[in-house]
Amino acid sequence: LSSHAARARATGGTMAAAGEETKSGDAPIYLVYGGKTGWIGQWLVRLLKERGSVVFAANARLENREDVARELDLLKPTYVLNAAGLTGRPNVDWCEDHKTDVIRVNITGTLCLADETNKRGIHMTNFATGCIYSYDDAHPIGGAGFTEEDKPNFDGSFYSATKAVVEGLLREYDNVLTLRVRMPISDDLSPRNFVTKITKYAKVVNIPNSMTVLTEMLPIALHMTDKGLRGVYNFTNPGAISHNQILDLYIKYIDPSFSYTNFTEEEQNKILKARRSNNTLDTSKIAGDIDVPLTDIHTAIVGVFERMRDNLKAAGNYPPPNPHAT
C-alpha cells in the first residue's frame, strides 16, 4: 500500500487518486471536515476526486480536539477544508433552542480546528456565512454592498450571531481563508438547495439577496485554497437576485404549473423564531484576487435552471411534483 492508502485504511477515510503517490511523493493532501455527511463537504470531496487529488473525508468531529489533533498528525494534510457545522434542521430556528450545541460546534469546534491547523502550519479554508448583515441606511437595497471589512450588523438569529463571533476570532489566525457563502444554490432539488426551500414555502418575501451558485463557486474555492489565499472573502456570485425572480425562472424552466404568494418581511418575522438576514455583499475583493472570472448571479441562475431541467429529464422526474398541488 502507498502511504496515502495506508492512511485511508487506518482512518476509514475516503481517498481519491491513491496512484498519485507513485507519480509524486509530495502530492498535496486535502482533508475535508463535513466530507462524509455534509452537503458542501461531500461536494468538495467529489470535486477533488474528479480532478485526481488525494483527499480524505475527516472522521473527527470538530468539537473533539484530541481526535482532531490525532487525525491531523496521522494524515498530515497540506490543506484542510472545513464545511462542517450546525445550521439547524429544518432551518436555523432550530438553533434558537439548541444554543449550547451550536456554540460547541460553530464556535468552539471551528476555533479548535483553526488552532490545531495553525500550530502545524496547515492552510485551512473555512466555509462560513454572509448572513451576518442586514440592509441599513449605508447599505440599502440596490446600493453599496457590504465589504469584508464592514462590521456585522445582524443579530436576528443565534446561528448568525455565532458565525459573526467566530469569524472575528478567525481573523487572528494567519493560516485561515474564510469564505462567506450565502443562500447556496445547486443544480438539483436537494433539500439544502435554496431554490428547493423557497418552492416549499407557503409564502415568500421578495427581497434581493446575494447568493452562491455552488456549481460555479466551489471550483473557485479550491482555486483559492491552492493559491494559499488567506483572510475573509465574500463568496457569492456578483449582484443580487430576489425570491420572485428565482421562482419566475423556476416556473419558466421547471414547472409551469407552480405559483407562489408573497408576504412582507414583518409578516414573515411573526411566524419565525429567528429573523432572516437580507443583504447584498460586495464581491470586488474576490474578483481582484482570483485568476478566473466570476459569473453574475442573474446569468448563473439561468445556467442553474437549464442544468436542473436537463438533470430532471434525465432522471425521468420532469416536471417534479408541485409541492403546493392539492
Side-chain angles (χ1 to χ4, degrees):
L1 286 177
S2 71
S3 61
H4 294 333
R7 291 172 192 166
R9 174 171 292 184
T11 62
T14 300
M15 189 190 76
E20 193 73 17
E21 173 76 7
T22 61
K23 300 178 186 177
S24 172
D26 58 356
I29 299 171
Y30 299 80
L31 177 61
V32 181
Y33 285 81
K36 284 196 167 184
T37 60
W39 184 41
I40 290 178
Q42 289 178 312
W43 199 323
L44 291 168
V45 169
R46 184 169 66 251
L47 287 175
L48 287 162
K49 284 184 176 181
E50 288 173 354
R51 73 178 200 180
S53 297
V54 179
V55 55
F56 297 90
N59 284 319
R61 297 184 63 84
L62 293 181
E63 64 270 29
N64 296 335
R65 187 173 188 126
E66 291 183 357
D67 292 344
V68 168
R70 187 179 304 111
E71 191 163 49
L72 293 175
D73 288 339
L74 176 63
L75 298 176
K76 301 186 185 309
T78 316
Y79 302 107
V80 166
L81 298 96
N82 179 36
L86 291 179
T87 57
R89 295 288 187 279
N91 54 52
V92 295
D93 284 351
W94 179 91
C95 299
E96 302 298 314
D97 298 322
H98 301 82
K99 292 182 177 180
T100 55
D101 294 318
V102 177
I103 292 171
R104 188 175 300 117
V105 176
N106 290 358
I107 296 180
T108 308
T110 303
L111 291 176
C112 163
L113 185 60
D115 198 50
E116 292 297 334
T117 53
N118 181 267
K119 288 193 297 185
R120 292 163 175 79
I122 300 170
H123 183 279
M124 170 180 157
T125 299
N126 187 57
F127 289 84
T129 183
C131 293
I132 55 177
Y133 297 109
S134 183
Y135 288 117
D136 60 16
D137 291 341
H139 307 85
I141 293 175
F146 290 93
T147 74
E148 290 81 356
E149 300 310 313
D150 286 319
K151 291 184 178 180
N153 70 345
F154 178 71
D155 59 0
S157 74
F158 190 73
Y159 167 78
S160 290
T162 64
K163 290 295 190 174
V165 167
V166 78
E167 182 189 287
L169 295 171
L170 287 176
R171 288 174 182 266
E172 304 303 320
Y173 286 90
D174 62 6
N175 64 310
V176 175
L177 167 65
T178 295
L179 301 179
R180 292 172 168 174
V181 176
R182 287 210 76 230
M183 299 179 172
I185 294 171
S186 61
D187 299 346
D188 55 16
L189 289 175
S190 161
R192 304 297 304 280
N193 182 359
F194 178 75
V195 173
T196 307
K197 290 180 179 180
I198 63 173
T199 60
K200 294 183 178 180
Y201 294 162
K203 296 180 179 181
V204 296
V205 296
N206 185 34
I207 303 173
N209 274 279
S210 285
M211 301 186 190
T212 305
V213 174
L214 297 177
T215 312
E216 303 260 351
M217 297 300 291
L218 287 186
I220 292 175
L222 297 180
H223 170 72
M224 297 173 76
T225 295
D226 291 339
K227 285 191 68 173
L229 295 180
R230 293 165 170 79
V232 178
Y233 286 84
N234 291 334
F235 193 66
T236 62
N237 295 80
I241 190 168
S242 71
H243 296 60
N244 284 17
Q245 288 172 314
I246 289 177
L247 292 176
D248 287 344
L249 289 170
Y250 183 86
I251 292 169
K252 177 180 179 180
Y253 286 95
I254 307 300
D255 184 3
S257 73
F258 184 84
S259 63
Y260 61 89
T261 303
N262 288 131
F263 65 161
T264 67
E265 189 174 9
E266 291 73 21
E267 290 171 326
Q268 181 191 55
N269 290 338
K270 292 178 181 179
I271 65 171
L272 300 173
K273 287 187 176 182
R275 290 188 288 115
R276 301 299 192 259
S277 163
N278 293 289
N279 67 63
T280 299
L281 299 179
D282 184 294
T283 55
S284 300
K285 181 180 178 181
I286 184 173
D289 286 357
I290 62 174
D291 306 319
V292 293
L294 293 170
T295 306
D296 74 89
I297 187 61
H298 288 274
T299 301
I301 196 67
V302 170
V304 165
F305 283 116
E306 289 175 341
R307 293 187 297 269
M308 183 183 293
R309 177 193 58 200
D310 293 344
N311 292 339
L312 289 169
K313 285 183 176 180
N317 189 31
Y318 180 85
N322 187 330
H324 301 312
T326 57

